[in-house]
Amino acid sequence: MVRPGSDPWRLQDVKDSITLVECDLGDHSQVDARLAAARPDACFHFAWYAVPGLYLHGVENLSVMQASIFLAQRLASMGCRRFVGVGTCFEYAMRRERLAESDATEPRSLYAASKLAFRLLLEQIAQAREMRWLWARVFYQFGPDENPRRLVPTVIRSLLAGEPALLTSGQQERDFLHVEDVASAIGTAGHSELDGVINIGSGEPVRVADLAMKIGAMIGRPALVRLGARPNDPDDPVFVCADPSRLMSTGWRPTYNLDTGLTNTIEWFRR
């Protein structure tokens, strides 16, 4: 199910094995009609407002939350067996330790608060109708076709163009996972017997400075990585890393490490 008029080019490789349905999730009559026709056994729900630079505090989050609640209600009422929603690590109260699913939440943006609110309501909707639910909290992903305003493509594109990559001090530590592994982790968890919240991350914290210098070395232009050229954001958490024990309990393992993931991503941007 995709937005009306959107370009589903990312689905070209699998278009012959899927049925593509256009639907505006904000249009309840459209949602009802599409669901009545499809009668889905399971739903993987990825749709959210995610425009880089705008999504954290955009009021659009409220509309998507409301549409998501309606979607979950309708699916539960028609006997959908499984609902997999995609959350964010920003739902957590940040601390200098790996974050486990049982840790406290403290969203500090409308985006994170809307995600968390939907998760709480999803649990109640699912329990009332005996629909199994899973909430995949994604940490930091990277890979081919990532938006150029985000960290990894910013560094790669700048260096490939022979321009400096102007960064903060880069002392922040983050949990990075290649997008293909993010997808396979959500798929594996969704098809597992697990219910509730599950972290989608590597469990391996990496300093942003080390990540940037690694990209610089791979491209052969480390001198163009300018750490400290931009001020640090005082609201930026110092440490964000998942405890992926629940995910690992399914038998899932990443296919990329940081080096092979960055190599894959750099080569994609070169092409």
Side-chain angles (χ1 to χ4, degrees):
M1 185 178 286
V2 298
R3 286 172 293 178
S6 62
D7 181 3
W9 65 269
R10 290 182 180 86
L11 301 174
Q12 289 304 309
D13 291 345
V14 295
K15 66 179 182 179
D16 293 336
S17 61
I18 63 174
T19 299
L20 202 61
V21 177
E22 290 193 343
C23 181
D24 178 356
L25 285 182
D27 186 328
H28 292 180
S29 61
Q30 271 194 38
V31 172
D32 278 338
R34 301 297 186 270
L35 294 183
R39 307 295 300 185
D41 181 57
C43 172
F44 286 75
H45 176 43
F46 288 82
W48 208 270
Y49 179 70
V51 177
L54 300 176
Y55 73 97
L56 282 178
H57 304 289
V59 295
E60 291 87 349
N61 286 290
L62 298 175
S63 298
V64 184
M65 180 185 67
Q66 292 168 347
S68 300
I69 293 167
F70 181 83
L71 174 67
Q73 287 177 302
R74 283 295 192 264
L75 286 166
S77 68
M78 63 174 51
C80 181
R81 180 183 59 84
R82 179 73 146 162
F83 190 106
V84 179
V86 178
T88 171
C89 61
F90 295 125
E91 295 171 52
Y92 286 116
M94 296 300 169
R95 58 196 185 99
R96 290 175 179 261
E97 297 177 22
R98 286 176 176 83
L99 295 162
E101 292 86 353
S102 58
D103 284 338
T105 53
E106 188 183 13
R108 297 193 173 187
S109 67
L110 192 55
Y111 171 75
S114 298
K115 287 270 192 178
L116 179 59
F118 176 49
R119 187 211 73 73
L120 293 169
L121 291 166
L122 171 63
E123 180 177 7
Q124 299 302 316
I125 292 167
Q127 286 179 354
R129 294 284 189 166
E130 297 184 350
M131 178 174 70
R132 296 183 59 201
W133 67 281
L134 189 79
W135 188 252
R137 281 191 181 140
V138 178
F139 280 66
Y140 287 77
Q141 64 275 351
F142 71 97
D145 195 48
E146 188 175 9
N147 188 282
R149 295 181 61 178
R150 292 173 61 86
L151 173 65
V152 171
T154 291
V155 177
I156 292 174
R157 287 160 56 90
S158 295
L159 270 52
L160 288 178
E163 300 171 352
L166 306 179
L167 306 176
T168 67
S169 66
Q171 297 308 302
Q172 313 94 317
E173 293 184 79
R174 298 289 184 263
D175 184 329
F176 292 98
L177 191 63
H178 190 279
V179 66
E180 289 183 28
D181 286 328
V182 172
S184 70
I186 295 173
T188 299
H191 286 89
S192 76
E193 293 303 310
L194 292 177
D195 293 314
V197 179
I198 187 166
N199 287 335
I200 306 297
S202 70
E204 300 293 334
V206 178
R207 281 199 321 155
V208 168
D210 295 338
L211 175 77
M213 293 307 298
K214 186 180 288 286
I215 294 171
M218 288 178 167
I219 293 177
R221 292 172 174 169
L224 289 178
V225 178
R226 306 288 170 79
L227 297 171
R230 294 172 51 201
N232 287 355
D233 182 349
D235 295 326
D236 202 16
V238 174
F239 185 90
V240 185
C241 186
D243 175 351
S245 300
R246 289 201 83 210
L247 173 62
M248 296 294 185
S249 74
T250 66
W252 175 89
R253 295 294 183 272
T255 57
Y256 291 91
N257 59 32
L258 188 61
D259 286 352
T260 57
L262 287 175
T263 298
N264 167 269
T265 305
I266 291 169
E267 288 308 308
W268 187 91
F269 277 101
R270 283 189 196 277
R271 292 194 299 271

